[in-house]
Amino acid sequence: HPVNRRRVYLFGYSGGGHFALQMAVAESEYFAAAAVYAGALRGQLTNLVSLARRKIPVALYAGSEDNIVPADEVRRTAQALQQGGLPVEFQVMRDWDHTYTRFNYHAMQRRIWEFLRPHELPAAPVFQPYQVATLSRRSGS
């Protein structure tokens, strides 16, 4: 099947959500949008927001009863992204805990897809190489 390279998205849950957020800001010209459940940019990782070359749309979902990635931590991530100029949708799922698949999983998947589906890169995707040890852009790139 043909793949529209301008419509490649990120979704992550828990640790995958933390990583999806890092990839979203580091590779904002490669992915069209990102959605995350129970993921956050923790501590100094909020500084990664400055790497976003494009204002990638991000949807963040948090469970009100999540003791592993608390909703307040996800809210702080939403605020950091917004302060960096990124369009962010943030929603707390009332009475949900960390394991969102135990709740209305199919409705959540539809909600995530409804967020991602309309977003498309304005041009061909661009991969930005980084030096992992320093998280800095390579010179000349």
Side-chain angles (χ1 to χ4, degrees):
H1 299 285
V3 173
N4 182 343
R5 295 180 61 226
R6 292 173 49 190
R7 292 179 46 127
V8 175
Y9 309 105
L10 287 164
F11 173 74
Y13 159 58
S14 192
H18 302 318
F19 186 65
L21 286 166
Q22 294 170 39
M23 290 301 297
V25 294
E27 296 296 344
S28 62
E29 295 177 307
Y30 190 83
F31 298 102
V36 171
Y37 183 86
L41 292 172
R42 293 178 157 165
Q44 294 298 317
L45 290 178
T46 58
N47 294 333
L48 294 176
V49 174
S50 66
L51 295 176
R53 291 180 166 202
R54 181 179 144 265
K55 304 306 181 194
I56 183 171
V58 178
L60 296 173
Y61 305 95
S64 66
E65 305 305 312
D66 189 340
N67 295 321
I68 297 170
V69 183
D72 285 343
E73 188 174 350
V74 180
R75 181 178 285 109
R76 285 190 294 276
T77 295
Q79 292 167 345
L81 293 168
Q82 289 169 334
Q83 288 172 355
L86 279 67
V88 178
E89 290 186 18
F90 171 66
Q91 184 172 6
V92 175
M93 310 305 289
R94 199 170 90 199
D95 299 324
W96 287 29
D97 61 19
H98 191 71
T99 311
Y100 85 100
T101 55
R102 292 187 308 147
F103 299 93
N104 195 342
Y105 175 78
H106 295 293
M108 185 61 156
Q109 294 301 315
R110 279 192 300 279
R111 176 178 291 157
I112 291 165
W113 179 236
E114 287 169 8
F115 170 79
L116 295 172
R117 180 179 47 208
H119 298 290
E120 183 173 338
L121 288 173
V126 175
F127 178 76
Q128 181 63 47
Y130 290 86
Q131 294 176 355
V132 176
T134 62
L135 287 177
S136 63
R137 289 189 176 98
R138 290 184 184 165
S139 60
S141 296

PDB file of all heavy atoms in Angstrom, residues 37-60:
ATOM      1  N   TYR A  37      -0.688   9.097  25.595  1.00  0.00           N
ATOM      2  CA  TYR A  37      -1.414   8.824  26.836  1.00  0.00           C
ATOM      3  C   TYR A  37      -0.371   8.475  27.903  1.00  0.00           C
ATOM      4  O   TYR A  37       0.490   7.628  27.682  1.00  0.00           O
ATOM      5  CB  TYR A  37      -2.400   7.657  26.696  1.00  0.00           C
ATOM      6  CG  TYR A  37      -3.196   7.456  27.977  1.00  0.00           C
ATOM      7  CD1 TYR A  37      -4.354   8.184  28.193  1.00  0.00           C
ATOM      8  CD2 TYR A  37      -2.756   6.604  28.981  1.00  0.00           C
ATOM      9  CE1 TYR A  37      -5.071   8.048  29.373  1.00  0.00           C
ATOM     10  CE2 TYR A  37      -3.456   6.468  30.165  1.00  0.00           C
ATOM     11  CZ  TYR A  37      -4.615   7.193  30.359  1.00  0.00           C
ATOM     12  OH  TYR A  37      -5.308   7.065  31.534  1.00  0.00           O
ATOM     13  N   ALA A  38      -0.467   9.146  29.053  1.00  0.00           N
ATOM     14  CA  ALA A  38       0.410   8.885  30.198  1.00  0.00           C
ATOM     15  C   ALA A  38       1.876   9.052  29.845  1.00  0.00           C
ATOM     16  O   ALA A  38       2.719   8.224  30.171  1.00  0.00           O
ATOM     17  CB  ALA A  38       0.154   7.509  30.801  1.00  0.00           C
ATOM     18  N   GLY A  39       2.186  10.134  29.172  1.00  0.00           N
ATOM     19  CA  GLY A  39       3.564  10.448  28.832  1.00  0.00           C
ATOM     20  C   GLY A  39       3.848  11.908  29.125  1.00  0.00           C
ATOM     21  O   GLY A  39       2.937  12.743  29.088  1.00  0.00           O
ATOM     22  N   ALA A  40       5.095  12.212  29.437  1.00  0.00           N
ATOM     23  CA  ALA A  40       5.459  13.581  29.785  1.00  0.00           C
ATOM     24  C   ALA A  40       6.922  13.835  29.452  1.00  0.00           C
ATOM     25  O   ALA A  40       7.698  12.904  29.246  1.00  0.00           O
ATOM     26  CB  ALA A  40       5.217  13.820  31.277  1.00  0.00           C
ATOM     27  N   LEU A  41       7.271  15.094  29.402  1.00  0.00           N
ATOM     28  CA  LEU A  41       8.666  15.517  29.350  1.00  0.00           C
ATOM     29  C   LEU A  41       9.044  15.839  30.783  1.00  0.00           C
ATOM     30  O   LEU A  41       8.577  16.828  31.343  1.00  0.00           O
ATOM     31  CB  LEU A  41       8.843  16.739  28.444  1.00  0.00           C
ATOM     32  CG  LEU A  41       8.615  16.518  26.965  1.00  0.00           C
ATOM     33  CD1 LEU A  41       8.634  17.845  26.214  1.00  0.00           C
ATOM     34  CD2 LEU A  41       9.645  15.559  26.385  1.00  0.00           C
ATOM     35  N   ARG A  42       9.854  14.996  31.372  1.00  0.00           N
ATOM     36  CA  ARG A  42      10.172  15.127  32.793  1.00  0.00           C
ATOM     37  C   ARG A  42      11.446  15.931  33.017  1.00  0.00           C
ATOM     38  O   ARG A  42      12.411  15.804  32.264  1.00  0.00           O
ATOM     39  CB  ARG A  42      10.329  13.744  33.413  1.00  0.00           C
ATOM     40  CG  ARG A  42       9.034  12.981  33.436  1.00  0.00           C
ATOM     41  CD  ARG A  42       9.214  11.608  33.995  1.00  0.00           C
ATOM     42  NE  ARG A  42       7.933  11.106  34.505  1.00  0.00           N
ATOM     43  CZ  ARG A  42       7.704   9.846  34.793  1.00  0.00           C
ATOM     44  NH1 ARG A  42       8.642   8.944  34.642  1.00  0.00           N
ATOM     45  NH2 ARG A  42       6.525   9.481  35.260  1.00  0.00           N
ATOM     46  N   GLY A  43      11.431  16.738  34.074  1.00  0.00           N
ATOM     47  CA  GLY A  43      12.621  17.475  34.487  1.00  0.00           C
ATOM     48  C   GLY A  43      13.192  18.341  33.379  1.00  0.00           C
ATOM     49  O   GLY A  43      12.482  19.088  32.713  1.00  0.00           O
ATOM     50  N   GLN A  44      14.501  18.201  33.168  1.00  0.00           N
ATOM     51  CA  GLN A  44      15.205  19.012  32.174  1.00  0.00           C
ATOM     52  C   GLN A  44      14.800  18.695  30.739  1.00  0.00           C
ATOM     53  O   GLN A  44      15.128  19.442  29.825  1.00  0.00           O
ATOM     54  CB  GLN A  44      16.719  18.833  32.347  1.00  0.00           C
ATOM     55  CG  GLN A  44      17.243  19.385  33.655  1.00  0.00           C
ATOM     56  CD  GLN A  44      17.023  20.888  33.770  1.00  0.00           C
ATOM     57  OE1 GLN A  44      17.241  21.636  32.826  1.00  0.00           O
ATOM     58  NE2 GLN A  44      16.557  21.331  34.921  1.00  0.00           N
ATOM     59  N   LEU A  45      14.090  17.578  30.534  1.00  0.00           N
ATOM     60  CA  LEU A  45      13.667  17.241  29.167  1.00  0.00           C
ATOM     61  C   LEU A  45      12.681  18.254  28.604  1.00  0.00           C
ATOM     62  O   LEU A  45      12.488  18.320  27.394  1.00  0.00           O
ATOM     63  CB  LEU A  45      13.086  15.829  29.113  1.00  0.00           C
ATOM     64  CG  LEU A  45      14.107  14.706  29.303  1.00  0.00           C
ATOM     65  CD1 LEU A  45      13.423  13.345  29.271  1.00  0.00           C
ATOM     66  CD2 LEU A  45      15.200  14.772  28.252  1.00  0.00           C
ATOM     67  N   THR A  46      12.065  19.087  29.459  1.00  0.00           N
ATOM     68  CA  THR A  46      11.204  20.145  28.926  1.00  0.00           C
ATOM     69  C   THR A  46      12.002  21.113  28.063  1.00  0.00           C
ATOM     70  O   THR A  46      11.443  21.768  27.192  1.00  0.00           O
ATOM     71  CB  THR A  46      10.477  20.916  30.048  1.00  0.00           C
ATOM     72  OG1 THR A  46      11.451  21.474  30.926  1.00  0.00           O
ATOM     73  CG2 THR A  46       9.518  20.021  30.811  1.00  0.00           C
ATOM     74  N   ASN A  47      13.319  21.173  28.271  1.00  0.00           N
ATOM     75  CA  ASN A  47      14.172  22.032  27.439  1.00  0.00           C
ATOM     76  C   ASN A  47      14.195  21.582  25.982  1.00  0.00           C
ATOM     77  O   ASN A  47      14.553  22.358  25.099  1.00  0.00           O
ATOM     78  CB  ASN A  47      15.602  22.068  27.991  1.00  0.00           C
ATOM     79  CG  ASN A  47      15.671  22.734  29.348  1.00  0.00           C
ATOM     80  OD1 ASN A  47      14.839  23.575  29.686  1.00  0.00           O
ATOM     81  ND2 ASN A  47      16.652  22.354  30.140  1.00  0.00           N
ATOM     82  N   LEU A  48      13.832  20.329  25.730  1.00  0.00           N
ATOM     83  CA  LEU A  48      13.815  19.830  24.355  1.00  0.00           C
ATOM     84  C   LEU A  48      12.785  20.550  23.488  1.00  0.00           C
ATOM     85  O   LEU A  48      12.892  20.528  22.263  1.00  0.00           O
ATOM     86  CB  LEU A  48      13.533  18.326  24.338  1.00  0.00           C
ATOM     87  CG  LEU A  48      14.593  17.422  24.952  1.00  0.00           C
ATOM     88  CD1 LEU A  48      14.127  15.972  24.938  1.00  0.00           C
ATOM     89  CD2 LEU A  48      15.917  17.570  24.228  1.00  0.00           C
ATOM     90  N   VAL A  49      11.816  21.183  24.097  1.00  0.00           N
ATOM     91  CA  VAL A  49      10.787  21.894  23.332  1.00  0.00           C
ATOM     92  C   VAL A  49      11.428  22.897  22.388  1.00  0.00           C
ATOM     93  O   VAL A  49      10.952  23.110  21.267  1.00  0.00           O
ATOM     94  CB  VAL A  49       9.765  22.569  24.277  1.00  0.00           C
ATOM     95  CG1 VAL A  49       8.784  23.439  23.500  1.00  0.00           C
ATOM     96  CG2 VAL A  49       9.020  21.514  25.095  1.00  0.00           C
ATOM     97  N   SER A  50      12.535  23.472  22.788  1.00  0.00           N
ATOM     98  CA  SER A  50      13.209  24.467  21.943  1.00  0.00           C
ATOM     99  C   SER A  50      13.758  23.866  20.651  1.00  0.00           C
ATOM    100  O   SER A  50      14.098  24.604  19.722  1.00  0.00           O
ATOM    101  CB  SER A  50      14.334  25.153  22.721  1.00  0.00           C
ATOM    102  OG  SER A  50      15.360  24.222  23.018  1.00  0.00           O
ATOM    103  N   LEU A  51      13.864  22.548  20.566  1.00  0.00           N
ATOM    104  CA  LEU A  51      14.361  21.905  19.348  1.00  0.00           C
ATOM    105  C   LEU A  51      13.327  21.911  18.219  1.00  0.00           C
ATOM    106  O   LEU A  51      13.686  21.707  17.062  1.00  0.00           O
ATOM    107  CB  LEU A  51      14.760  20.454  19.640  1.00  0.00           C
ATOM    108  CG  LEU A  51      15.922  20.222  20.593  1.00  0.00           C
ATOM    109  CD1 LEU A  51      16.114  18.733  20.828  1.00  0.00           C
ATOM    110  CD2 LEU A  51      17.198  20.858  20.051  1.00  0.00           C
ATOM    111  N   ALA A  52      12.067  22.104  18.559  1.00  0.00           N
ATOM    112  CA  ALA A  52      10.996  22.012  17.551  1.00  0.00           C
ATOM    113  C   ALA A  52      11.159  23.116  16.508  1.00  0.00           C
ATOM    114  O   ALA A  52      10.999  24.295  16.801  1.00  0.00           O
ATOM    115  CB  ALA A  52       9.629  22.088  18.210  1.00  0.00           C
ATOM    116  N   ARG A  53      11.471  22.718  15.302  1.00  0.00           N
ATOM    117  CA  ARG A  53      11.599  23.665  14.188  1.00  0.00           C
ATOM    118  C   ARG A  53      10.228  24.009  13.613  1.00  0.00           C
ATOM    119  O   ARG A  53      10.060  25.044  12.990  1.00  0.00           O
ATOM    120  CB  ARG A  53      12.470  23.071  13.095  1.00  0.00           C
ATOM    121  CG  ARG A  53      13.915  22.935  13.506  1.00  0.00           C
ATOM    122  CD  ARG A  53      14.717  22.337  12.379  1.00  0.00           C
ATOM    123  NE  ARG A  53      16.134  22.525  12.651  1.00  0.00           N
ATOM    124  CZ  ARG A  53      17.062  22.506  11.718  1.00  0.00           C
ATOM    125  NH1 ARG A  53      16.737  22.315  10.467  1.00  0.00           N
ATOM    126  NH2 ARG A  53      18.317  22.679  12.048  1.00  0.00           N
ATOM    127  N   ARG A  54       9.284  23.117  13.797  1.00  0.00           N
ATOM    128  CA  ARG A  54       7.910  23.282  13.315  1.00  0.00           C
ATOM    129  C   ARG A  54       6.988  23.129  14.511  1.00  0.00           C
ATOM    130  O   ARG A  54       7.254  22.366  15.422  1.00  0.00           O
ATOM    131  CB  ARG A  54       7.598  22.194  12.274  1.00  0.00           C
ATOM    132  CG  ARG A  54       6.222  22.275  11.699  1.00  0.00           C
ATOM    133  CD  ARG A  54       6.026  21.137  10.653  1.00  0.00           C
ATOM    134  NE  ARG A  54       4.671  20.672  10.756  1.00  0.00           N
ATOM    135  CZ  ARG A  54       4.250  19.635  11.469  1.00  0.00           C
ATOM    136  NH1 ARG A  54       5.099  18.889  12.141  1.00  0.00           N
ATOM    137  NH2 ARG A  54       2.990  19.313  11.512  1.00  0.00           N
ATOM    138  N   LYS A  55       5.916  23.854  14.503  1.00  0.00           N
ATOM    139  CA  LYS A  55       4.954  23.808  15.614  1.00  0.00           C
ATOM    140  C   LYS A  55       4.054  22.580  15.443  1.00  0.00           C
ATOM    141  O   LYS A  55       2.906  22.663  15.039  1.00  0.00           O
ATOM    142  CB  LYS A  55       4.137  25.105  15.685  1.00  0.00           C
ATOM    143  CG  LYS A  55       4.988  26.357  15.801  1.00  0.00           C
ATOM    144  CD  LYS A  55       5.969  26.286  16.955  1.00  0.00           C
ATOM    145  CE  LYS A  55       6.790  27.553  17.051  1.00  0.00           C
ATOM    146  NZ  LYS A  55       7.941  27.445  17.905  1.00  0.00           N
ATOM    147  N   ILE A  56       4.590  21.432  15.778  1.00  0.00           N
ATOM    148  CA  ILE A  56       3.897  20.153  15.611  1.00  0.00           C
ATOM    149  C   ILE A  56       2.705  20.071  16.574  1.00  0.00           C
ATOM    150  O   ILE A  56       2.843  20.353  17.762  1.00  0.00           O
ATOM    151  CB  ILE A  56       4.869  18.968  15.806  1.00  0.00           C
ATOM    152  CG1 ILE A  56       4.171  17.633  15.553  1.00  0.00           C
ATOM    153  CG2 ILE A  56       5.546  19.024  17.173  1.00  0.00           C
ATOM    154  CD1 ILE A  56       5.120  16.440  15.523  1.00  0.00           C
ATOM    155  N   PRO A  57       1.541  19.702  16.071  1.00  0.00           N
ATOM    156  CA  PRO A  57       0.376  19.546  16.950  1.00  0.00           C
ATOM    157  C   PRO A  57       0.534  18.313  17.842  1.00  0.00           C
ATOM    158  O   PRO A  57       0.966  17.251  17.388  1.00  0.00           O
ATOM    159  CB  PRO A  57      -0.791  19.349  15.976  1.00  0.00           C
ATOM    160  CG  PRO A  57      -0.275  19.749  14.632  1.00  0.00           C
ATOM    161  CD  PRO A  57       1.202  19.545  14.661  1.00  0.00           C
ATOM    162  N   VAL A  58       0.169  18.475  19.121  1.00  0.00           N
ATOM    163  CA  VAL A  58       0.305  17.403  20.097  1.00  0.00           C
ATOM    164  C   VAL A  58      -0.987  17.279  20.911  1.00  0.00           C
ATOM    165  O   VAL A  58      -1.539  18.287  21.350  1.00  0.00           O
ATOM    166  CB  VAL A  58       1.486  17.678  21.059  1.00  0.00           C
ATOM    167  CG1 VAL A  58       1.605  16.586  22.113  1.00  0.00           C
ATOM    168  CG2 VAL A  58       2.797  17.823  20.291  1.00  0.00           C
ATOM    169  N   ALA A  59      -1.439  16.044  21.103  1.00  0.00           N
ATOM    170  CA  ALA A  59      -2.568  15.760  21.989  1.00  0.00           C
ATOM    171  C   ALA A  59      -2.035  14.955  23.167  1.00  0.00           C
ATOM    172  O   ALA A  59      -1.326  13.969  22.982  1.00  0.00           O
ATOM    173  CB  ALA A  59      -3.650  14.971  21.268  1.00  0.00           C
ATOM    174  N   LEU A  60      -2.361  15.404  24.368  1.00  0.00           N
ATOM    175  CA  LEU A  60      -1.921  14.727  25.590  1.00  0.00           C
ATOM    176  C   LEU A  60      -3.150  14.284  26.378  1.00  0.00           C
ATOM    177  O   LEU A  60      -4.067  15.082  26.596  1.00  0.00           O
ATOM    178  CB  LEU A  60      -1.081  15.669  26.452  1.00  0.00           C
ATOM    179  CG  LEU A  60       0.241  16.141  25.858  1.00  0.00           C
ATOM    180  CD1 LEU A  60       0.870  17.206  26.750  1.00  0.00           C
ATOM    181  CD2 LEU A  60       1.178  14.979  25.673  1.00  0.00           C
TER     182      LEU A  60
END
